[in-house]
Amino acid sequence: MTEEFRFLGVAADLAASLKERGIQAPFPIQTLTIPDGLAGRDVCGKAKTGSGKTLAFGLPMVENLSHADSHWVRGLILVPTRELAVQVAKELRPLARCRQLDLAPVYGGAPIEAQIEKIEAGLDIIVATPGRLIDLIDRKALSVAKLEIVVVDEADRMADMGFLPQVEWILRHVESRHQTLLFSATLDGAVDALVRRYQSDPVRHEVQSKQVTVDEMQHRFVAVHEMDKVKVAAAIIRASNRALVFSATRHGCDRLSRKLKSENVRAEPIHGDLRQKAREHSLARFASGQIQALVATDVAARGLHIDDVDVVIHFDPPPDHKTYIHRSGRTARAGETGMAVTLSLWNEELEVKRLQRRLSLDVPIVEMFSNDDRLDALDRWDPVAEAV
């Protein structure tokens, strides 16, 4: 049913390319924004991660750039993380090939010399993290002065990670008249300021999304003992298909991964100190089911599109309720009900109870040891009913 994309104004060859990949019908954010993007309007889209934003900005970019013959960077997609840069580039590359456009990601953690070689060989579109892009501009490896289309993706996460000053620096250096497409899960505060400063009469579209918190997932809070904590986590992971485990620090990720392996759990870490190839390898193994658990820091997990995560384990309790929602939301996607499990040591109980109050969660913290049968089926055990 490529007619649905054709109805939005997407060209036949691009619609056919989507069909070859099994993409038949547009997501709501695509239906709303693609016609305005194709018309050359500045677009401000409000939608969460995983809502189909990449094609919402990628299709207009490929279509609107395809009529130029010059082989220099004319399209820029700014993203907050290297993983997202790789994922966006992978999703858009088949469309770019339809129009003989060369596209590549550039990000920190990879050799800058190789990226400069790609740019010098000729690129039409780059998908970049702000820091690496500024490095390339400072080295005069590329210029953003003559860009025709700029995309700012996940603007709210850019703000959370402290990248907005870099994003603004880049946008100030775009001298040409250009189209700007901005997508974000929230459009208030610093993101709203970005819209007002750098977009021209943008058309605004919003996809209403249900709150991914109490209503769409199950929550368990487990009191554990220090010496038994890893074993409890291992028991939960073994009972799941795919688990995402959050640790507060990079060192903690490495240490926890090693300890889980000693419990015969296939786990690998993902954090900023790892080489990009190692991160991509771990992600691929996790997506394919070769490993049971990915142990991540909050920053490393941002922007990752990981499907079919049935349990999120807060091995280290999150610092605030927003982080809890961001972490836990990865287990309740596409209408599926997931499980969020928070492990709490005795000296973390007050902190966890404060977190529960902010989330309006009235769920008891239940003490468990690693040999507790309830860990094998947390979804079938109701701590609230048991407490009555």
Side-chain angles (χ1 to χ4, degrees):
M1 293 189 293
T2 54
E3 292 82 7
E4 293 191 49
F5 278 104
R6 297 282 287 121
F7 182 75
L8 298 178
V10 175
D13 59 336
L14 299 181
S17 174
L18 295 175
K19 186 178 180 181
E20 285 177 11
R21 292 154 58 194
I23 303 170
Q24 299 275 7
F27 285 104
I29 190 64
Q30 297 163 4
T31 300
L32 289 171
T33 60
I34 285 174
D36 287 312
L38 289 172
R41 294 282 306 274
D42 279 11
V43 173
C44 179
K46 182 178 179 181
K48 291 186 178 297
T49 300
S51 59
K53 294 185 280 87
T54 303
L55 290 181
F57 59 72
L59 283 163
M61 175 174 277
V62 169
E63 178 65 35
N64 291 347
L65 290 180
S66 62
H67 307 297
D69 296 326
S70 52
H71 203 52
W72 40 268
V73 175
R74 291 169 288 124
L76 167 65
I77 302 168
L78 285 172
V79 296
T81 66
R82 58 185 89 173
E83 283 79 19
L84 190 54
V86 172
Q87 290 172 3
V88 168
K90 182 179 179 181
E91 185 164 357
L92 296 185
R93 196 169 279 120
L95 297 173
R97 285 199 198 104
C98 288
R99 301 303 176 86
Q100 290 77 52
L101 297 171
D102 284 325
L103 174 152
V106 295
Y107 45 80
I112 196 169
E113 294 78 12
Q115 294 175 353
I116 290 173
E117 284 180 15
K118 282 185 180 179
I119 294 166
E120 290 177 345
L123 285 177
D124 301 284
I125 302 169
I126 59 171
V127 187
T129 52
R132 175 50 57 97
L133 184 63
I134 290 174
D135 284 347
L136 291 165
I137 294 169
D138 284 344
R139 293 178 183 228
K140 299 191 177 351
L142 66 79
S143 169
V144 295
K146 296 181 180 180
L147 288 173
E148 296 173 15
I149 304 177
V150 177
V151 173
V152 181
D153 191 20
E154 307 247 349
D156 56 316
R157 299 199 176 193
M158 297 275 204
D160 289 344
M161 298 168 77
F163 291 161
L164 282 194
Q166 294 170 302
V167 172
E168 292 205 45
W169 186 93
I170 292 164
L171 295 178
R172 284 198 301 272
H173 284 74
V174 183
E175 299 170 6
S176 55
R177 186 174 180 179
H178 62 281
Q179 180 183 19
T180 303
L181 310 175
L182 182 144
F183 289 83
S184 180
T186 60
L187 292 173
D188 51 6
V191 177
D192 180 59
L194 200 68
V195 171
R196 286 187 281 103
R197 286 179 194 144
Y198 298 102
Q199 289 197 291
S200 175
D201 189 26
V203 57
R204 291 177 179 252
H205 292 291
E206 177 177 349
V207 173
Q208 293 288 346
S209 54
K210 292 183 289 184
Q211 188 71 9
V212 182
T213 52
V214 179
D215 296 336
E216 290 191 28
M217 69 184 71
Q218 295 179 303
H219 305 264
R220 302 291 183 264
F221 294 86
V222 181
V224 295
H225 293 260
E226 181 73 57
M227 300 299 290
D228 197 43
K229 188 178 181 182
V230 174
K231 291 180 183 293
V232 169
I236 297 168
I237 294 166
R238 280 195 290 266
S240 69
N241 293 316
R242 191 170 294 157
L244 187 57
V245 186
F246 283 95
S247 177
T249 66
R250 298 172 181 182
H251 177 64
C253 280
D254 290 332
R255 185 175 62 245
L256 179 54
S257 297
R258 288 193 301 268
K259 289 183 176 180
L260 286 172
K261 286 175 183 175
S262 72
E263 297 295 328
N264 295 317
V265 170
R266 300 188 306 278
E268 290 183 8
I270 181 166
H271 55 72
D273 282 347
L274 295 173
R275 289 182 177 274
Q276 182 61 23
K277 282 190 176 180
R279 292 156 69 110
E280 291 173 14
H281 182 66
S282 294
L283 271 175
R285 282 166 53 79
F286 186 61
S288 67
Q290 292 174 270
I291 60 174
Q292 299 163 281
L294 201 61
V295 186
T297 58
D298 291 310
V299 170
R302 288 185 177 186
L304 295 184
H305 299 283
I306 303 170
D307 295 323
D308 303 322
V309 174
D310 53 334
V311 62
V312 164
I313 301 174
H314 303 277
F315 190 83
D316 293 323
D320 53 56
H321 70 290
K322 286 185 178 181
T323 304
Y324 181 91
I325 293 169
H326 281 311
R327 288 180 177 182
S328 301
R330 300 183 173 278
T331 185
R333 293 196 172 190
E336 295 294 323
T337 299
M339 173 72 66
V341 183
T342 303
L343 304 185
S344 172
L345 298 173
W346 68 271
N347 59 343
E348 295 169 333
E349 187 172 329
L350 288 177
E351 175 189 341
V352 170
K353 284 183 175 178
R354 278 196 295 268
L355 180 73
Q356 289 179 323
R357 283 195 295 273
R358 292 300 303 273
L359 294 163
S360 299
L361 281 174
D362 187 15
V363 181
I365 303 173
V366 179
E367 183 180 40
M368 289 190 190
F369 293 93
S370 55
N371 60 354
D372 196 310
D373 291 340
R374 291 173 294 183
L375 294 172
D376 296 331
L378 285 174
D379 59 330
R380 295 197 296 271
W381 163 67
D382 186 350
V384 177
E386 186 176 288
V388 174

